[in-house]
Amino acid sequence: MAAPIEDLEPPVLVVNYKVYPTALGERALSLTRELEEAAASYPDATLAIAPSHPDVGAVAQASDLPVLAQHADGHRPGSGTGRVLPESLSDRGAIGSLINHAERQVTEKEANRSVDRLTEKGMAVIACAEDVEVTRTMASLEPTYVAMEPPELIGGDVSVTSADPGIIEDSLEAAQEIDPDARILCGAGVKDAEDVAKARDLGAEGVLVASGVTKAEDPTQAARDLLRGAVEPAATLEGSEK
Ligand code: G3P
């Protein structure tokens, strides 16, 4: 059974709050309000947000943006100290979760269990992959999206779309060899509309971004620019004002 896509229709911009100080606690709420402003200008794109676990409930309660967790375990209620269950996340308003992010990696067995449990709860899954091989593994689990993020480019200034465009095309091909319906996102170093438009040109259905928004002086403007890249044809972006 494949994970549902209804709440994450492409093109997608996922803003991962990670544990940036600008995106925790009260600041998670104010950042979310700023992102809502940006999303309102681009109704044809999906802007989803991934706050840290302690903020999921408050953020989901305060916002209509689709909320993802940054990680979910495949455990069932019962023993499992420190585990984060899909049903707890769903009860708090999350519509899905990232799994296997480069900063929160799991074994293939754990990824499999997480995807199964999230899917069983009707939740979306973005399964992250650090290379083409892991993309294949994640695609075989039938998540909503596989997200290709080369770890060495995460948090940097050079976008994966410029540094290694081939890895996005190769990942899409590898994922669709395993599952012809597989969809991919990409991320790492993505900062502006051109990066997002290029990701789409390379076959991605959207992007994951963190520092480009959480460290921006004006997160609303940063997100608007990224969303512009998600909806406008790449040709119209060249040379245009931000
Ligand atoms: O999940 C998105 C993330 O890993 C990308 O981070 O800071 O390179 O946009 P960043």
Side-chain angles (χ1 to χ4, degrees):
M1 180 172 54
I5 193 169
E6 295 80 50
D7 296 311
L8 288 179
E9 286 291 340
V12 184
L13 169 65
V14 178
V15 180
N16 182 355
Y17 291 12
K18 302 196 175 180
V19 287
Y20 279 106
T22 51
L24 287 176
E26 282 303 314
R27 297 183 82 179
L29 292 169
S30 50
L31 175 62
T32 301
R33 284 191 289 274
E34 292 181 274
L35 296 181
E36 281 174 341
E37 264 184 62
S41 313
Y42 291 94
D44 294 335
T46 302
L47 193 167
I49 53 179
S52 76
H53 285 147
D55 295 323
V56 162
V59 167
Q61 198 172 17
S63 177
D64 288 335
L65 295 177
V67 172
L68 298 161
Q70 296 176 12
H71 164 80
D73 289 300
H75 285 61
R76 292 191 179 276
S79 63
T81 305
R83 298 292 173 180
V84 179
L85 303 188
E87 39 271 88
S88 309
L89 295 168
S90 177
D91 287 350
R92 292 288 172 271
I95 59 98
S97 185
L98 310 183
I99 62 157
N100 197 43
H101 190 279
E103 295 156 5
R104 184 62 177 89
Q105 287 187 316
V106 295
T107 63
E108 184 180 338
K109 191 173 163 199
E110 286 171 323
N112 199 347
R113 287 178 67 183
S114 293
V115 177
D116 279 356
R117 293 279 288 117
L118 287 159
T119 306
E120 179 189 313
K121 292 284 157 199
M123 299 173 79
V125 191
I126 298 180
C128 302
E130 60 184 8
D131 59 27
V132 175
E133 204 41 56
V134 179
T135 296
R136 272 196 195 94
T137 306
M138 292 300 144
S140 72
L141 307 180
E142 298 187 28
T144 315
Y145 293 101
V146 178
M148 155 52 56
E149 294 198 323
E152 66 281 9
L153 297 172
I154 291 177
D157 288 326
V158 182
S159 167
V160 60
T161 54
S162 316
D164 197 355
I167 202 169
I168 301 170
E169 293 170 311
D170 293 349
S171 296
L172 179 60
E173 196 183 318
Q176 292 188 339
E177 267 169 24
I178 301 291
D179 170 11
D181 295 326
R183 297 179 159 94
I184 70 160
L185 306 175
C186 66
V190 172
K191 293 284 185 292
D192 59 26
E194 286 73 17
D195 296 338
V196 183
K198 200 159 174 205
R200 286 166 50 221
D201 276 356
L202 293 165
E205 308 270 1
V207 300
L208 277 77
V209 60
S211 52
V213 169
T214 59
K215 289 180 162 183
E217 257 176 52
D218 182 345
T220 306
Q221 191 45 42
R224 273 206 187 103
D225 191 45
L226 292 160
L227 287 165
R228 193 167 62 94
V231 298
E232 287 187 19
T236 66
L237 293 169
E238 280 163 27
S240 67
E241 290 289 314
K242 283 190 182 174

